[in-house]
Amino acid sequence: MADGPAPRRRTRRTDPGRRDRIIDACLDVVVANGVSGTSHRRVAEAADVPLGSMTYHFTGMDELLREAFTRYARTVSDRFERRMSEAADVGEARRAVVAMITSDVVTSRRDLVLTHELYTLAAREPAFRDITNAWMARSRHALERHFDPTTARLVDALIEGLTIHRALDTPQDPPGGGAGYDTALVVDAVERVTANLG
């Protein structure tokens, strides 16, 4: 009796973008729930993947958070570096810094939450400080295209401080001001910090 056709092998479903999707979903979950409220189950639901995918792709939540925050920090750093690389001289570099403070660095509530969640995590868990240290190093390197190292460090701190203040400040129009007045303050601050340059 002739053998029948060989049984068809079940093809394994491929999902090459699954790991990236999980990392992006992790950032969404952190925005919605904070690091403390981020779990494998919530991330799996947000990424629309089986719960088992979490342990297949990541050894634990720490690895996933490291991957997610590293991706976020690189995204912001890339934006920062593009701005500074486009500046042709110190004057344009000053204007680029103003633009970063007023519109580029923290562009949304999502950016604000992710930045502060990362800072809080790094403050509590030294193992995450290499992410923030690498982020600051890239920022300073980009600023050193136009400013000396000491000035670059000061400008970097100014960008961070003013960005946080602007993002968390209760919207109020100062006398005779509004958004234009706010930008004028940023321009003045940048000029003062970089006054020793051309």
Side-chain angles (χ1 to χ4, degrees):
M1 180 172 163
D3 291 336
R8 294 179 61 186
R9 293 183 62 186
R10 180 176 294 177
T11 56
R12 186 176 177 182
R13 184 183 172 202
T14 60
D15 186 1
R18 179 173 290 184
R19 191 173 192 279
D20 280 339
R21 198 161 69 250
I22 291 171
I23 293 171
D24 289 337
C26 180
L27 292 173
D28 292 338
V29 174
V30 168
V31 171
N33 303 283
V35 167
S36 62
T38 299
S39 66
H40 286 295
R41 186 173 300 280
R42 281 179 168 165
V43 174
E45 289 175 357
D48 192 24
V49 300
L51 186 58
S53 292
M54 305 301 295
T55 53
Y56 177 79
H57 289 287
F58 303 95
T59 57
M61 186 54 68
D62 275 4
E63 184 186 4
L64 175 55
L65 286 170
R66 286 183 63 82
E67 291 274 357
F69 277 123
T70 297
R71 174 171 295 182
Y72 171 69
R74 284 178 180 159
T75 298
V76 178
S77 291
D78 288 346
R79 196 186 308 156
F80 194 107
E81 288 185 334
R82 277 195 302 273
R83 271 285 188 186
M84 296 312 299
S85 67
E86 291 168 358
D89 53 34
V90 171
E92 288 188 8
R94 287 189 180 114
R95 288 190 287 276
V97 169
V98 171
M100 285 189 284
I101 294 170
T102 58
S103 62
D104 279 8
V105 177
V106 175
T107 60
S108 64
R109 176 185 173 276
R110 174 187 172 85
D111 285 338
L112 176 66
V113 170
L114 287 174
T115 298
H116 283 269
E117 287 287 338
L118 172 56
Y119 287 173
T120 300
L121 183 60
R124 289 179 175 161
E125 302 288 344
F128 284 84
R129 288 181 195 162
D130 60 328
I131 300 173
T132 54
N133 288 341
W135 186 354
M136 287 187 287
R138 284 190 70 188
S139 298
R140 290 170 188 163
H141 180 72
L143 288 165
E144 286 172 11
R145 291 172 179 266
H146 306 283
F147 308 119
D148 64 83
T150 300
T151 302
R153 183 177 288 267
L154 293 173
V155 171
D156 189 37
L158 179 70
I159 292 169
E160 189 168 348
L162 286 181
T163 298
I164 291 169
H165 280 223
R166 284 172 50 82
L168 295 178
D169 198 15
T170 302
Q172 291 179 347
D173 286 349
Y181 177 83
D182 195 16
T183 299
L185 285 177
V186 175
V187 170
D188 183 50
V190 172
E191 289 180 350
R192 290 187 189 203
V193 171
T194 63
N196 63 315
L197 303 172

